[in-house]
Amino acid sequence: SASSQPYRTSYHFQPPKNWMNDPNGPMIYKGLYHLFYQYNPKGAVWGNIVWGHSTSKDLVNWTPHKVAIYPSQPSDINGTWSGSATILPDGKPAILYTGINPLNQQVQNLAIPKNPSDPYLIEWVKSPNNPLMAPTPENQINASSFRDPTTAWRGVDGRWKVIVGSKINRKGLAYLYRSKDFVYWIKAKHPLHSAKNTGMWECVDFFPVSANSPVGVEMSVLGSDFKYVLKASLDDTKHDCYTIGEYDHVKDRYTPDEGSVEGDPGLRYDYGKFYASKTFFDSAKNRRLLWGWLNESSSVSDDIKKGWAGIQAIPRVVWLDKSGKQLVQWPIQEIEKLRVNPVHLPSQYLKGGSVVEVPGVTASQADVEITFKVSDFSKAEVLDPSWTNPQLLCSRKGGSVRGSLGPFGLLVLASKGMQEYTSVFFRIFKGQNKHVVLMCSDQSRSSLNPDNDKTMYGAFVDVDPVHEQLSLRSLIDHSVVESFGGHGKNCISARVYPMLAINEAAHLYAFNNGSEAVTITRLSAWSMKKAHIN
Ligand code: FRU
């Protein structure tokens, strides 16, 4: 029940119990969305990994199915790890996934539906040719760092291509394999791409984005006005980092654009907790959707006590920003079906040092959008040129540290007496020749429980506050706050575990802890209904 399980989410995907990590093989098939996920059927910690499986008509409500892929043959007897689905030209899906063999080597396997006319795709059969890709003395692949095949694509030469993440010493890379029949795969001489000193690349993802529209692009489409995104989940820092670049279809090489920084700190999907993510092309709505795993920030013993760990972020639509230099993400529109009892506050002046409650919403389960306008920049704090690390800047200047232009934003999952709150906010600085906007998510006061990881998160937002208003949206769901700054230019997800600000005792406020006033030009909040999830 909600009182004995105050941290279970109401509209974020999770299994009824136990451990979950990476999203696997997301796809739409016969009008149904499928989500598989790394799952431990035996407990709330990582281990015994199989593929859990659920389907949905709307990406909001989910029906559970039996475990789809589990250890059953030598090529995966020690684990069925992450992988991806590809819709083949005949419309049928195929799954490539990592298996752990009896020697504890990582190898790549194929599974196909037993009965493709079943839209639920309940039964999967494994190829008798497994493993299809394996480390050998000849190919010199590191057998403990060779995993997580992507969705495959078809090249100009008619062959299938797929990439698999790996490392050679400290160099992270994406091995490229080619196949004529999806079963017999040959490793290409060169990886699709590699980058020095980035460590193991887990869960690589590679996809096109349209240079001039937010519409999604299917992987095998060939066109000239596309950019490509290569994402790697960096095992060293547990961050999902990406670059934007060009893909040479003939040489099968990816090159990041000049200025697109490799590794960490580079661009991230999310500057909070968000890992092992994966996109897929939603052919029903012509968009590219992103799924990502939000791990716990609680202690292992608390996870065992509550009996579960891991949720999935609300799926996000991803497209290329007008600048061409970064992605933009926004929660799927379907989630707005859960919005009830809207509360719209009138435009108002928010004096320095003030707090305004947003009344009438279930603040532990809410969706809130707020927009700020700043008119007077004369008092903006000067950005010290050494402040190049936004996360560090956020930890030095948390929500309770007064500034001039900010911090202003939201206090979410707040207790009545403010013993607990999570603050999500902006600060504006005067930079060299422009104003710099910092967005932070401050968990330091989120819970009286000392055992949680309360790391502060932060990022600079590429908006010009002189000409644009500053918007912030937060999806609040008991133990998660997913925040979107600058209309999706920046995302920060945080896991928090209040002890007082739970269920009906949670409150929501707008605040301004700067000395200068700002104007709230829009504040809309909704209570969120509970979705049917598994
Ligand atoms: C990422 C990851 C993958 C691996 C899976 C195992 O979180 O480590 O690289 O396939 O999880 O569960």
Side-chain angles (χ1 to χ4, degrees):
S1 72
S3 57
S4 63
Q5 284 278 3
Y7 308 129
R8 279 194 72 80
T9 55
S10 284
Y11 61 96
H12 282 75
F13 183 94
Q14 57 183 171
K17 60 177 184 183
N18 297 329
W19 168 272
M20 170 174 69
N21 56 299
D22 316 357
N24 289 156
M27 65 173 138
I28 180 165
Y29 182 66
K30 293 188 186 288
L32 262 188
Y33 293 99
H34 288 254
L35 179 67
F36 304 87
Y37 53 89
Q38 294 281 285
Y39 180 62
N40 180 359
K42 295 183 183 157
V45 296
W46 186 89
N48 316 304
I49 293 293
V50 300
W51 281 42
H53 181 201
S54 295
T55 56
S56 173
K57 290 194 172 94
D58 58 5
L59 294 161
V60 174
N61 301 291
W62 292 87
T63 306
H65 302 296
K66 65 176 199 179
V67 165
I69 297 178
Y70 50 88
S72 69
Q73 52 172 214
S75 65
D76 67 12
I77 205 66
N78 285 327
T80 49
W81 289 12
S82 284
S84 309
T86 303
I87 307 286
L88 302 177
D90 63 3
K92 295 175 191 162
I95 282 174
L96 291 170
Y97 68 97
T98 299
I100 309 298
N101 76 10
L103 300 172
N104 279 326
Q105 293 176 320
Q106 298 172 6
V107 300
Q108 316 314 322
N109 297 320
L110 171 65
I112 57 169
K114 189 169 186 183
N115 174 12
S117 64
D118 165 24
Y120 296 102
L121 301 172
I122 301 297
E123 307 266 3
W124 290 80
V125 289
K126 293 173 187 175
S127 170
N129 296 301
N130 286 341
L132 309 183
M133 302 163 221
T136 63
E138 294 75 56
N139 64 28
Q140 299 261 315
I141 292 172
N142 181 338
S144 52
S145 303
F146 178 53
R147 57 183 180 269
D148 312 333
T150 60
T151 294
W153 68 97
R154 231 154 40 144
V156 270
D157 52 7
R159 285 180 298 177
W160 289 103
K161 327 265 167 109
V162 74
I163 55 174
V164 183
S166 188
K167 67 171 175 185
I168 298 173
N169 300 317
R170 293 277 312 136
K171 180 172 75 180
L173 72 159
Y175 284 118
L176 176 77
Y177 279 79
R178 300 190 185 96
S179 172
K180 285 186 182 147
D181 60 2
F182 221 86
V183 175
Y184 182 68
W185 292 85
I186 299 171
K187 186 169 98 50
K189 273 213 188 78
H190 302 283
L192 180 81
H193 187 60
S194 67
K196 273 185 272 175
N197 212 33
T198 49
M200 173 62 189
W201 289 6
E202 298 189 305
C203 299
V204 285
D205 196 15
F206 184 52
F207 58 91
V209 282
S210 169
N212 38 38
S213 105
V215 164
V217 188
E218 202 271 325
M219 189 60 207
S220 292
V221 164
L222 302 165
S224 50
D225 64 337
F226 301 140
K227 284 276 177 187
Y228 280 80
V229 176
L230 179 63
K231 183 275 293 183
S233 299
L234 301 182
D235 197 16
D236 290 7
T237 55
K238 296 285 170 206
H239 291 157
D240 276 16
C241 295
Y242 68 90
T243 54
I244 294 168
E246 304 279 340
Y247 168 43
D248 182 328
H249 291 259
V250 178
K251 294 196 178 120
D252 270 330
R253 277 192 189 261
Y254 167 81
T255 314
D257 288 347
E258 217 178 292
S260 201
V261 177
E262 304 254 24
D264 214 340
L267 291 169
R268 283 165 61 181
Y269 282 152
D270 192 300
Y271 292 85
K273 207 155 245 194
F274 187 92
Y275 195 64
S277 65
K278 191 179 290 301
T279 65
F280 74 105
F281 176 66
D282 175 3
S283 55
K285 295 199 169 162
N286 284 314
R287 55 188 176 174
R288 184 158 290 271
L289 296 180
L290 172 68
W291 277 105
W293 166 44
L294 307 183
N295 193 2
E296 301 302 308
S297 295
S298 44
S299 67
V300 172
S301 67
D302 281 354
D303 291 345
I304 292 169
K305 258 183 250 162
K306 71 189 198 297
W308 59 273
I311 64 171
Q312 302 295 332
I314 299 301
R316 301 172 182 174
V317 187
V318 198
W319 67 98
L320 186 65
D321 181 55
K322 279 198 289 290
S323 69
K325 291 184 173 155
Q326 66 157 95
L327 297 173
V328 186
Q329 303 162 65
W330 199 246
I332 48 160
Q333 199 200 323
E334 287 90 331
I335 208 70
E336 295 171 24
K337 289 200 305 195
L338 298 174
R339 288 173 168 181
V340 289
N341 302 329
V343 174
H344 303 290
L345 295 196
S347 174
Q348 55 188 286
Y349 211 56
L350 197 57
K351 278 200 310 229
S354 57
V355 177
V356 187
E357 176 148 23
V358 183
V361 290
T362 56
S364 58
Q365 203 174 303
D367 184 355
V368 47
E369 296 192 52
I370 188 165
T371 306
F372 296 96
K373 197 173 99 186
V374 179
S375 323
D376 183 359
F377 293 84
S378 57
K379 301 244 167 51
E381 211 178 318
V382 174
L383 187 81
D384 187 306
S386 71
W387 296 347
T388 50
N389 180 331
Q391 173 154 347
L392 213 64
L393 191 51
C394 287
S395 19
R396 286 211 208 121
K397 292 171 178 289
S400 53
V401 178
R402 294 205 67 173
S404 46
L405 288 182
F408 54 82
L410 297 168
L411 301 178
V412 306
L413 294 169
S415 64
K416 190 80 210 164
M418 293 287 175
Q419 298 94 334
E420 292 179 331
Y421 57 83
T422 295
S423 50
V424 188
F425 58 84
F426 297 112
R427 279 178 195 271
I428 301 174
F429 297 94
K430 205 191 305 260
Q432 292 290 26
N433 36 34
K434 57 172 187 185
H435 286 92
V436 174
V437 177
L438 178 72
M439 174 178 163
C440 306
S441 185
D442 176 355
Q443 285 66 246
S444 62
R445 303 287 297 268
S446 59
S447 172
L448 296 177
N449 181 347
D451 298 337
N452 301 312
D453 170 8
K454 295 172 185 164
T455 305
M456 277 193 228
Y457 306 126
F460 293 117
V461 197
D462 185 22
V463 291
D464 172 6
V466 178
H467 297 104
E468 293 165 79
Q469 303 199 355
L470 286 179
S471 77
L472 172 67
R473 177 177 180 192
S474 288
L475 293 170
I476 305 156
D477 192 4
H478 299 275
S479 62
V480 56
V481 182
E482 276 188 83
S483 299
F484 300 81
H487 292 291
K489 280 190 171 173
N490 257 7
C491 312
I492 304 183
S493 298
R495 300 299 311 279
V496 291
Y497 310 86
M499 302 188 76
L500 306 172
I502 59 170
N503 299 322
E504 272 66 54
H507 296 261
L508 173 65
Y509 304 87
F511 80 106
N512 177 9
N513 208 8
S515 58
E516 303 306 294
V518 296
T519 305
I520 299 178
T521 52
R522 172 175 183 216
L523 202 178
S524 299
W526 294 265
S527 298
M528 293 293 269
K529 283 188 295 189
K530 191 175 167 60
H532 297 281
I533 297 180
N534 300 318

